Amino acid sequence: MTATSEALLITSQEGAVRTLTLNRPAALNAFTTALLVQLREALEAAAQDAGVRCVVITGAGRGFSAGQDLSDALIKPPMEPGEVPKDIGHLLDNYYIPLALRLRSMPVPVIAAVNGVAAGAGASLALGCDLVLAAEGASFIQAFSKIGLVPDCGGTWLLPRLVGRAKALELALLGDKLPAAEAARIGLIYRALPDAELAAEAQALAQKLAAMPVKAIAATRQALDDALLLDFESALKNEALLQSRLGFAVDYQEGTRAFLEKRKPNFSDR
Ligand code: LHQ
């Protein structure tokens, strides 16, 4: 399962935890179209594989991801007289949106282990994961405004929901570097921890989630996202629908039986 170290994306597996490592360290893992496609395909493969119960996304080298590779011919502004600007929205339509949607609808939890700077779409991708762990040496940068763009890859949706409108505007307008510890303090991410502990802690958290009823975890993510768009009564009804569905699933039966029988549950559904 582990690919060669020259691969743009390194895939590895420990038990039921699949780790996807962005691997363009010389460019701080900036996204090329090839890397975007490989990441989406790797998420798709994990979604289809019953042996995967949690996914970790991290970066090789000193960065998590510096966002879109700005030297990519598809988005490079005219450099010579006579060249015409490209429609960079195509890149979003064809690469980022499918990736963001795939990530947000994974049937298993996804952890971002942010090992270094996460800028632009790199930050959006990390924040789109279910739990974000970051090394204290890492930082988050809403780099978009600095190059005349809006947050993308889900950034405009995620930021105000995570930290509220005022903080979202501060981060998005100023584009300043937000250190991991501050990101944790304001609730943008789950936790910041010493750099040397990140990989092991991410793996331990992933193994813990992998042993949980992952169908319920995916439904919880969906319910929380839905609830932000629903009125109270509709949210109550949505919860009831989800409980009905989950109540027929084997994990609820196993979890409740295990509680009543005073034993550790063994969750297997997906
Ligand atoms: C890079 C990049 C990079 C290429 C560092 N590209 N090489 C979606 C669709 C359509 C259009 C556009 O955008 C989007 C979404 C987006 O993501 S827009 C936002 C794109 N990202 C940025 O604007 C961030 C640009 N990078 C930076 O500001 C800095 O590199 C940060 C603050 C991330 C890190 O700074 P340093 O730690 O000082 O590292 P560095 O700047 O020296 O970078 C190291 C190398 O990585 C360097 O290459 P070199 O050959 O000189 O060593 C950089 O050129 C390269 N690199 N980001 N996005």
Side-chain angles (χ1 to χ4, degrees), residues 24-32 36 62-63 65-72 74-76 87-93 96 117-124 139 141-147 149-153 175 177:
R24 297 189 69 223
L28 302 178
N29 305 315
F31 290 118
T32 56
L36 290 165
R62 72 177 179 90
S65 171
Q68 170 61 36
D69 188 314
L70 296 174
S71 66
D72 193 313
L74 285 173
I75 63 140
K76 236 170 141 180
D87 179 356
I88 60 176
H90 285 313
L91 207 58
L92 294 169
D93 287 335
Y96 284 96
V117 66
S124 299
S139 55
I141 308 177
Q142 295 299 316
F144 310 92
S145 61
K146 298 250 171 81
I147 55 168
L149 295 176
V150 296
D152 62 22
C153 196
K177 185 182 274 199

Side-chain angles (χ1 to χ4, degrees), residues 34-269:
L35 178 54
L36 290 165
V37 168
Q38 287 190 26
L39 181 57
R40 185 182 48 73
E41 288 178 350
L43 287 171
E44 186 60 43
Q48 299 299 332
D49 188 337
V52 175
R53 297 179 59 82
C54 186
V55 173
V56 177
I57 302 177
T58 193
R62 72 177 179 90
F64 174 78
S65 171
Q68 170 61 36
D69 188 314
L70 296 174
S71 66
D72 193 313
L74 285 173
I75 63 140
K76 236 170 141 180
M79 306 296 265
E80 305 289 340
E83 273 185 59
V84 287
K86 289 131 195 136
D87 179 356
I88 60 176
H90 285 313
L91 207 58
L92 294 169
D93 287 335
N94 295 323
Y95 297 94
Y96 284 96
I97 292 176
L99 170 62
L101 290 175
R102 178 61 284 179
L103 177 65
R104 202 71 189 173
S105 61
M106 286 295 284
V108 297
V110 185
I111 296 171
V114 180
N115 53 301
V117 66
S124 299
L125 176 81
L127 298 176
C129 294
D130 297 318
L131 289 174
V132 185
L133 284 178
E136 279 163 357
S139 55
F140 296 81
I141 308 177
Q142 295 299 316
F144 310 92
S145 61
K146 298 250 171 81
I147 55 168
L149 295 176
V150 296
D152 62 22
C153 196
T156 59
W157 192 90
L158 291 162
L159 283 172
R161 284 172 168 79
L162 290 168
V163 292
R165 184 173 187 270
K167 202 74 198 174
L169 279 168
E170 175 196 324
L171 297 173
L173 297 185
L174 303 181
D176 289 336
K177 185 182 274 199
L178 182 74
E182 181 64 2
R185 196 190 65 76
I186 65 172
L188 185 72
I189 65 168
Y190 165 47
R191 220 182 125 197
L193 66 176
D195 295 22
E197 293 172 21
L198 177 70
E201 280 296 319
Q203 188 58 225
L205 180 64
Q207 294 293 347
K208 180 177 172 172
L209 289 169
M212 291 177 71
V214 294
K215 193 175 257 181
I217 290 178
T220 301
R221 174 213 298 133
Q222 184 64 53
L224 291 176
D225 287 351
D226 290 348
L228 290 162
L229 305 170
L230 297 173
D231 60 54
F232 186 59
E233 189 175 353
S234 304
L236 288 170
K237 287 179 178 158
N238 195 37
E239 291 167 1
L241 271 174
L242 289 168
Q243 295 303 47
S244 286
R245 205 184 77 201
L246 291 168
F248 287 110
V250 294
D251 279 348
Y252 164 70
Q253 291 153 32
E254 167 62 9
T256 309
R257 254 188 233 121
F259 175 79
L260 296 173
E261 293 166 4
K262 298 190 189 304
R263 63 174 172 81
K264 209 170 160 282
N266 179 18
F267 295 115
S268 58
D269 203 8

